[in-house]
Amino acid sequence: MSVADRRRLPSVDAVVRAAGPLAVPRPRFVAAVRAVLDDARGGRLSVAGAEDAARAARERLALRDRRTLRRVLNATGVVLQTNLGRAPLAPAAVAAIAEAAGAASVEYDLAAGRRGERHGHARALVAELAGAEDAVVVNNNAAAVLLALAALASRREVVVARGELVEIGGGFRIPDVLRRSGAKLVEVGTTNRTYVKDYAAAIGERTAAILRVHASNFRMTGFVARPEDRALASLARERGIALVHDLGSGTFLDTAAYGLAHEQTVQDAVAAGADVVTFSGDKLLGGPQAGLAAGRGEAIAALRAHPLMRALRPDKLTLAALVATLELYRDGRAERELPVWRMIAAAPAALAARARAIVAALAASGVGARVVATESTVGGGALPEQTQPSRAVALEADAARAAAALRDGEPAVVGRVVDDRLALDLRAILPEDDGVLAQAVIAATARWRRSS
Ligand SMILES: *Cc1c(COP(=O)(O)O)cnc(C)c1O
């Protein structure tokens, strides 16, 4: 920029005056104007007068102030997408969050009119559904595992099969969690085969527990062996130690009813004799992020009494959403009202009909797309390698540009690339959102056409 051009740049005051009434505090706007004028001086931006500079400052602020946590339509075909917040909540759970958002009886016993128990709200429901004596809720399943090991095995040994020393993702590695809990890991068996006798030989004076971990995100096949839960539970009982079972996803319903492999239910794991069974609130359970631990009264009482409990306790919004979600199971409404189960239950023919309707709506707005057959997954560390036949709307446009434009929308849409086309899989989209999805695609198409 020449000296003459630089002199022609408006002053900060002139730009602020030209901006008129401000929607943000003045100092923030002034700082944005300074940054715009700096860029103009440095030749990184051209500014055609005070009004243009004011517009650029507004845009800069809007971009910077845009929330990074935004609504997304999950068109990835992965029902429980950890990066997209896992289980979408049921309307009943959302309503419960709104109700609890003000003052609520979190630690207040309304019947007695005195201080109550935060841990009381979900306790009976979880225990009833799990068929367990007692239950406790923490922030997530990683916290539940940590708490169980800290409460039952700190400074003592925990026996784990080598084939179960897994990494779940997000850096959650069983050996690390064990170390953090203060327990000492004792590995038994080989990667592919572990027998009850391996566990039995490893149990000694210092052993506090056997930890069993569900292989959530991978499958071992071939020459593999792993003892039954019941056998491990009997061994633990015989030797006076605890059996802790990290189920991972933890489902109350039988996934085999949906053409998927059978995933051990929470009730099964509890009935098989584990002292503590831990599982997530936001995987197949379909509720908010939470960690649930269900099991024998004594063991759960030890978890509840541990000092870590204070740091891991759930907030009132989580508790409200969790209780509302669990009530749907109790009342036999889970399959009809929980988004996760509605998505898993959607039949290919229904998905195809919806995809055709969306393609027609797009065509009516001049957006080219077609229906493609896809395979969707449950995700969230449940049912690895299991897929369900699904349908997607594939956009007839450059996949990378379409994806970027869709991510930039409100709501954002995240799909996946199939055969060089951006495919919007309907498995994890609820039918009531089909119209929103079509509108988002139409709006995004208009944006990328304008910009090209
Ligand atoms: C998902 C998973 C966890 C972690 O659960 P979060 O609720 O994400 O903390 C732990 N163990 C297993 C086996 C899992 O699948």
Side-chain angles (χ1 to χ4, degrees):
M1 182 176 261
S2 71
V3 175
D5 285 344
R6 223 169 279 154
R7 279 209 198 96
R8 242 176 272 137
L9 277 179
S11 69
V12 171
D13 274 351
V15 178
V16 173
R17 250 180 284 119
L22 298 177
V24 298
R26 193 183 156 90
R28 293 197 79 228
F29 190 71
V30 168
V33 171
R34 288 222 163 87
V36 164
L37 295 178
D38 269 355
D39 279 359
R41 232 168 269 127
R44 293 178 294 274
L45 184 79
S46 76
V47 160
E51 263 167 36
D52 194 35
R55 179 197 49 76
R58 274 209 184 87
E59 277 175 15
R60 181 176 291 247
L61 275 177
L63 202 63
R64 184 189 313 153
D65 293 350
R66 195 173 188 198
R67 285 185 187 160
T68 50
L69 182 57
R70 300 203 292 273
R71 183 181 175 206
V72 172
L73 293 175
N74 174 9
T76 62
V78 182
V79 173
L80 297 167
Q81 236 292 355
T82 296
N83 299 345
L84 299 181
R86 290 195 186 150
L89 296 179
V94 175
I97 286 177
E99 248 176 64
S105 57
V106 186
E107 293 186 3
Y108 189 74
D109 183 336
L110 287 170
R114 56 176 148 76
R115 194 173 188 290
E117 263 271 15
R118 175 182 300 256
H119 305 303
H121 305 291
R123 183 178 182 174
L125 258 176
V126 179
E128 179 185 336
L129 292 167
E133 289 171 13
D134 202 356
V136 70
V137 179
V138 289
N139 267 324
N140 52 38
N141 186 32
V145 176
L146 178 71
L147 179 63
L149 295 172
L152 302 176
S154 183
R155 287 199 285 276
R156 295 173 67 200
E157 292 176 356
V158 174
V159 183
V160 190
R162 288 202 166 84
E164 296 180 11
L165 289 172
V166 300
E167 172 172 325
I168 306 304
F172 181 83
R173 289 179 157 187
I174 291 296
D176 296 338
V177 175
L178 260 162
R179 211 166 304 126
R180 297 277 164 195
S181 73
K184 184 172 177 298
L185 166 66
V186 175
E187 302 176 23
V188 295
T190 59
T191 301
N192 56 329
R193 290 175 85 85
T194 308
Y195 307 97
V196 175
K197 63 173 195 258
D198 295 325
Y199 287 93
I203 296 171
E205 293 257 289
R206 300 180 41 75
T207 311
I210 292 171
L211 172 65
R212 162 148 274 204
V213 185
H214 184 63
S216 296
N217 43 12
F218 68 102
R219 238 158 56 89
M220 267 211 276
T221 55
F223 191 57
V224 296
R226 175 172 198 265
E228 294 283 324
D229 285 350
R230 279 180 196 287
L232 280 192
S234 319
L235 175 66
R237 192 114 334 113
E238 232 167 72
R239 307 293 277 271
I241 62 171
L243 174 62
V244 176
H245 191 166
D246 174 15
L247 258 191
S249 189
T251 174
F252 290 124
L253 301 178
D254 185 4
T255 47
Y258 302 92
L260 292 161
H262 172 72
E263 173 97 358
Q264 184 177 29
T265 62
V266 174
Q267 309 85 291
D268 280 354
V270 170
D275 295 274
V276 177
V277 174
T278 73
F279 50 104
S280 292
D282 56 354
K283 291 184 178 173
L284 279 174
L285 196 141
Q289 179 192 303
L292 289 75
R296 285 179 199 282
E298 240 178 88
I300 298 297
L303 268 61
R304 198 178 286 120
H306 193 273
L308 260 182
M309 185 64 217
R310 178 61 179 77
L312 304 178
R313 73 182 194 187
D315 75 304
K316 64 180 178 180
L317 304 183
T318 298
L319 283 172
L322 181 65
V323 168
T325 303
L326 295 169
E327 283 170 351
L328 295 176
Y329 285 98
R330 179 196 62 194
D331 300 342
R333 291 156 54 195
E335 283 160 288
R336 265 175 295 128
E337 294 184 40
L338 280 177
V340 166
W341 291 106
R342 290 180 58 202
M343 290 167 178
I344 290 173
L351 293 168
R354 289 169 51 199
R356 282 194 299 273
I358 292 172
V359 166
L362 295 180
S365 293
V367 178
R370 65 200 162 80
V371 180
V372 294
T374 52
E375 294 288 326
S376 63
T377 58
V378 172
L383 304 156
E385 297 186 357
Q386 288 279 308
T387 60
Q388 291 185 288
S390 183
R391 293 294 183 279
V393 173
L395 302 181
E396 283 162 9
D398 177 76
R401 300 197 63 191
L406 280 165
R407 287 198 309 272
D408 192 43
E410 313 241 358
V413 178
V414 179
R416 72 176 192 279
V417 176
V418 177
D419 295 333
D420 290 335
R421 287 288 182 238
L422 184 68
L424 307 175
D425 197 305
L426 295 186
R427 170 67 65 189
I429 301 278
L430 292 173
E432 53 266 40
D433 287 332
D434 285 356
V436 185
L437 177 64
Q439 282 311 313
V441 173
I442 291 164
T445 307
R447 276 199 306 279
W448 91 64
R449 280 182 186 161
R450 258 205 312 277
S451 70
S452 60

